[in-house]
Amino acid sequence: MYLHRAQQRVRAASFPDESDIHPCTAEEVDALEAKLGQPLPGAVREFLLWCGKGLGEIWSGARCLDYDELMNQFGLDGAREKLAEAGLDTSVLENALVIQFDEDAQFSFVKLNEGDDPPVYGLNEGEPLERHCDHFSDYVNLIVAQEFGVTPDDQREGPGAPADADAMGSAAQAQTGEDIIPAEWRSDPALRDADFGSMPPSIQQQLGKPQASFRASSANVVAGVIFGVIFLGFGLVLSIWLLVQAGKTGFNLPFVANQGMSWVILLVAELLSWAMAVVGVVMIRRLLKTSGDCVFVGDGGLCLMRKSTYEMVPWSAVAEIEELVIKEHAPVKWVGGLIPAGKDRMYDMRMNNGKHFLFNSTNIRNLALFRAILERVTSIYGIPWSVLQSRAPGMV
């Protein structure tokens, strides 16, 4: 059952009343499939059999997921027109079912060949076509959650969804909109920098209540750029010096020589110098790009912004968090006892789908606050947390 959570919310709220929920019959859904020429995704079919002809005041005023509208394919022509006006490819609507359409250049659709709980795509006025939700069930959860003023968990209903009652209870606790910032951190200036206004509305909805935002550490970026400039400068200076030395001989060099300059030594040294310069350029470019990245945190999850693209990470999709504590000593053994050991920390956030996200002092400016938020989230959602100790590579 894909829509179990949304149905639970409606039943728990006793709104809308059962008499205001109007399902489609199996025969009506079969008729829609016959008109489309192919089966509906399982989650869409389940929705229609639950409330395809009305869900009380929910969706009031919006042409959204209505059986009669779907039968008439009302939104399809309008969606094509909106895409064409925006200069976008209308072929994306091939094999699509438009599930929401309004007159403000906004619509949403699913593809009929992308599984039983397909992604939901959409267009908002003035924005590019984007993937609003990973699953149709998530989309329904969002709509229902908005009605009751809670933050959706972006959890998938159906096969593979957590059935454990404690896990569901913990998720529900996080949906109340409570702060995930520990009390001792709530006056931190970083919390006042959480500006979510620039991100797409669909991401804002999934993030929920703004909590904090984190940018890359400026100190690390500056240090990295300095090292990059050193590499670049040293490589260029070495290259020029080599050419000057060779020019003093009128470039009359032996191919190989036991002593002094030769063509082999010149070419090898030039390659090394240019390699250093290239490494310096790559370091500078990468760090300057990283400096514009940002991690937004809300009570529904976190969002990574890279190069003006957004990637949503719901808390409910996190499988475990691993904290790696790296002990740093002086690079020479006989000095190590005189200098106290330092520590660096890295947090590996592992998702249910196997994906990893790494956070450390390079991409998170206030790592202590970020750690406090992760600890709070793990306590709410029951996410496993493990700690590993390691020595920095190359230390003796």
Side-chain angles (χ1 to χ4, degrees), residues 29-40 70-71 73 95-97 112:
V29 178
D30 290 342
L32 176 57
E33 290 181 330
K35 182 164 186 175
L36 295 172
Q38 57 186 307
L40 289 166
L70 295 177
M71 278 294 286
Q73 293 185 287
N95 212 33
L97 183 69
L112 298 177

Side-chain angles (χ1 to χ4, degrees), residues 78-97:
R80 286 199 183 103
E81 182 180 338
K82 298 300 182 186
L83 284 174
E85 289 175 357
L88 300 174
D89 185 6
T90 60
S91 66
V92 296
L93 293 175
E94 291 179 6
N95 212 33
L97 183 69

Side-chain angles (χ1 to χ4, degrees), residues 17-273:
D17 186 81
E18 288 288 337
S19 61
D20 291 327
I21 301 175
H22 304 288
C24 296
T25 65
E27 291 76 18
E28 288 172 326
V29 178
D30 290 342
L32 176 57
E33 290 181 330
K35 182 164 186 175
L36 295 172
Q38 57 186 307
L40 289 166
V44 177
R45 184 180 179 91
E46 181 182 332
F47 177 88
L48 294 174
L49 293 173
W50 172 38
C51 59
K53 291 190 172 181
L55 188 57
E57 294 300 316
I58 298 180
W59 294 294
S60 176
R63 311 185 82 152
C64 182
L65 291 165
D66 178 85
Y67 174 76
D68 293 330
E69 299 284 8
L70 295 177
M71 278 294 286
N72 295 327
Q73 293 185 287
F74 163 78
L76 190 58
D77 290 338
R80 286 199 183 103
E81 182 180 338
K82 298 300 182 186
L83 284 174
E85 289 175 357
L88 300 174
D89 185 6
T90 60
S91 66
V92 296
L93 293 175
E94 291 179 6
N95 212 33
L97 183 69
V98 177
I99 58 175
Q100 178 268 328
F101 181 85
D102 62 37
E103 305 302 329
D104 294 325
Q106 299 181 5
F107 65 87
S108 302
F109 65 93
V110 297
K111 304 282 278 188
L112 298 177
N113 58 352
E114 292 190 349
D116 275 334
D117 197 4
V120 176
Y121 306 93
L123 180 74
N124 292 325
E125 186 175 10
E127 297 179 6
L129 189 71
E130 63 178 11
R131 181 166 169 157
H132 286 329
C133 295
D134 289 335
H135 301 285
F136 175 79
S137 58
D138 298 336
Y139 179 82
V140 175
N141 284 337
L142 280 170
I143 302 297
V144 173
Q146 288 171 2
E147 181 67 30
F148 300 128
V150 295
T151 302
D153 246 343
D154 205 33
Q155 285 194 358
R156 181 179 180 180
E157 310 301 329
D164 180 72
D166 292 335
M168 295 292 281
S170 296
Q173 181 184 4
Q175 289 175 3
T176 61
E178 64 177 298
D179 285 335
I180 60 173
I181 303 292
E184 61 270 23
W185 286 97
R186 288 179 189 164
S187 61
D188 191 274
L191 307 182
R192 296 193 291 271
D193 295 335
D195 179 15
F196 287 22
S198 61
M199 65 180 58
S202 59
I203 296 293
Q204 293 183 44
Q205 290 171 352
Q206 294 178 69
L207 272 174
K209 182 180 178 181
Q211 300 285 330
S213 61
F214 300 89
R215 294 196 176 273
S217 170
S218 56
N220 287 342
V221 171
V222 170
V225 170
I226 290 173
F227 275 105
V229 171
I230 291 173
F231 271 77
L232 174 60
F234 187 80
L236 292 176
V237 169
L238 178 59
S239 174
I240 294 171
W241 181 83
L242 289 168
L243 291 175
V244 169
Q245 296 305 309
K248 289 180 179 179
T249 67
F251 292 97
N252 185 21
L253 303 173
F255 184 73
V256 179
N258 293 329
Q259 292 182 343
M261 184 75 73
S262 68
W263 282 112
V264 171
I265 293 176
L266 177 63
L267 290 175
V268 171
E270 280 289 333
L271 287 174
L272 289 175
S273 64

